[in-house]
Amino acid sequence: RMPVLDGLQATRIIKSELKIQTPVVALTGDYNEETRIECEKLGFDAFQGKPMKRNVLKEIIKQFTGYEVK
């Protein structure tokens, strides 16, 4: 629900049109199965609900970069 382009539209462009392989994580207050499935179809690499706990963020960073945040 960003002002010009929401995260779903932006990810569709990044993944489908531009073919960029950068990991994209959905962080949403709309944390339900329907939204998760839509995000998966669009190419999101991970899906998390708000609020995100610090340890979850650290694990996501480690998963996609190999870097372990202390």
Side-chain angles (χ1 to χ4, degrees):
R1 292 179 178 68
M2 296 182 289
V4 176
L5 190 72
D6 69 26
L8 298 173
Q9 295 168 320
T11 300
R12 184 187 52 74
I13 291 168
I14 291 167
K15 296 291 188 166
S16 297
E17 294 179 25
L18 300 176
K19 306 286 188 215
I20 297 173
Q21 297 304 311
T22 300
V24 179
V25 177
L27 178 60
T28 179
D30 191 14
Y31 193 68
N32 61 58
E33 188 66 12
E34 182 179 313
T35 303
R36 186 196 62 76
I37 290 168
E38 182 178 7
C39 288
E40 188 176 286
K41 286 179 182 177
L42 288 171
F44 280 85
D45 297 283
F47 180 78
Q48 291 295 320
K50 292 179 184 178
M52 182 188 291
K53 302 282 187 182
R54 183 181 307 250
N55 63 324
V56 173
L57 177 58
K58 288 179 178 182
E59 188 56 40
I60 290 172
I61 292 170
K62 182 179 176 183
Q63 176 184 353
F64 291 110
T65 68
Y67 180 75
E68 190 166 348
V69 180
K70 301 294 180 192

